[in-house]
Amino acid sequence: EKFKDGLTKTRDNFSGKVNDLVARYRKVDEDFFEELEEILIQADVGFETVMDLIEELKMEVKRKNIQDPAEVQSVISEKLVEIYEGADEASTELNIQAEGLTVLLFVGVNGVGKTTTIGKLAHKFKSEGKKVVLAAGDTFRAGAIEQLEVWGERVGVDVIKQGAGSDPAAVMFDAIQAAKSRNADILICDTAGRLQNKVNLMKELEKVKRVIEREVPGAPHEVLLVLDATTGQNALIQAKTFKEATNVSGIVLTKLDGTAKGGIVLAIRNELGIPVKFVGLGEKMDDLQEFNAEQYVYGLFA
Ligand code: GDP
């Protein structure tokens, strides 16, 4: 239900147009596909993904000898789920250790909703009975540490910090020791996301990761990239840069509730091959949902 609510804007935009298209055509022809292509591109599905999808649809229409535009609609949802799930087998579930400390590293540029997502996720784990510690590794952006502390208080979890401008790797070291001595299950690490200088970004992330790898064998268990769905194709560009800078294992797509172009989920999956693990559907603590391709596609039409 949450999923459906969060996709209201996208659904009104996307399925409204598809319904209108289907109503206007008597048979499925080249013009029909051209219009459909345009609708998908406007929903930010992404050029490559749209081309793949249209190709698949045409083959399916031919194979099943579909004439009625209304029938194409159900094929569209089938193919969308396929595109999403077919990209690879990578699970949308987080890699959480059954025993010992799990370390989750968050990356992403300022303003995408990184802090909010960390807070929401901490809340989720806490309500599952897990002990969570947060590491204030964004020592660069003014206010980032305080903002994480606000979330820490709200959720009721400890935040390990040093002063502004301190070495993020040193913060990680402290946070890991604290998490271990407090017997925490999950350590969630914030980092600064400066894209202006890719070399610095890479160096900083590498240094932070080295400390984590050294102190906790097998960690970080996830490197989660946070992207803002409302930035559309820009989010894709950010993702490509971060992918070059570090091993991103999953994506959190925030503010899906705030865009009519929720097709970006499909573009990310298809063009980057990194699974979307969570989506942000609002500003509140509970507004984080595990991603589910079928629910998503259903939410686009239902
Ligand atoms: P950060 O700079 O990446 O840490 O971004 P913040 O966590 O401070 O979030 C930036 C703004 O986006 C804040 O006003 C958040 O409340 C808002 N925000 C974050 N996630 C979501 C979401 O899923 N939906 C909506 N509507 N707003 C969000």
Side-chain angles (χ1 to χ4, degrees), residues 259-277:
T259 178
K261 298 179 162 202
I264 192 72
V265 176
L266 294 154
I268 285 172
R269 189 68 184 95
N270 201 40
E271 290 174 34
L272 297 169
I274 305 171
V276 175
K277 302 221 169 188

Side-chain angles (χ1 to χ4, degrees), residues 110 114-115 135-142 144-145 168 172 190-193 204:
N110 292 338
K114 198 153 35 98
T115 315
D138 183 352
T139 59
F140 185 74
R141 177 167 71 90
I145 299 169
M172 291 309 157
D190 194 9
T191 61
E204 184 165 311

Side-chain angles (χ1 to χ4, degrees), residues 179-233:
K180 282 179 178 171
S181 69
R182 289 167 207 193
N183 260 323
D185 301 297
I186 316 245
L187 173 66
I188 309 181
C189 309
D190 194 9
T191 61
R194 282 165 286 165
L195 270 194
Q196 295 81 349
N197 188 332
K198 203 161 82 185
V199 178
N200 276 350
L201 173 77
M202 237 184 277
K203 274 192 191 151
E204 184 165 311
L205 288 178
E206 275 317 307
K207 199 172 164 201
V208 161
K209 267 177 77 181
R210 262 204 308 278
V211 170
I212 296 173
E213 280 161 7
R214 195 181 63 216
E215 299 301 316
V216 185
H221 300 93
E222 296 273 1
V223 178
L224 297 166
L225 171 62
V226 182
L227 298 172
D228 177 345
T230 65
T231 62
Q233 298 304 307

Side-chain angles (χ1 to χ4, degrees), residues 110-116 120 141 147 255 257 280-283:
N110 292 338
V112 291
K114 198 153 35 98
T115 315
T116 307
K120 288 171 175 175
R141 177 167 71 90
Q147 208 190 333
K255 311 185 199 181
D257 55 305
L281 299 170
E283 296 186 275

Side-chain angles (χ1 to χ4, degrees), residues 2 8 16 24 62 65-66 78 82 97 99-100 112 115 134 157 159 163 203 260 273:
K2 251 225 161 109
T8 304
R24 278 188 293 110
K62 208 169 171 189
N65 194 20
I66 295 172
E78 266 169 46
E82 258 176 48
Q97 304 303 293
E99 270 174 53
V112 291
T115 315
L134 306 182
V157 300
V159 178
K203 274 192 191 151

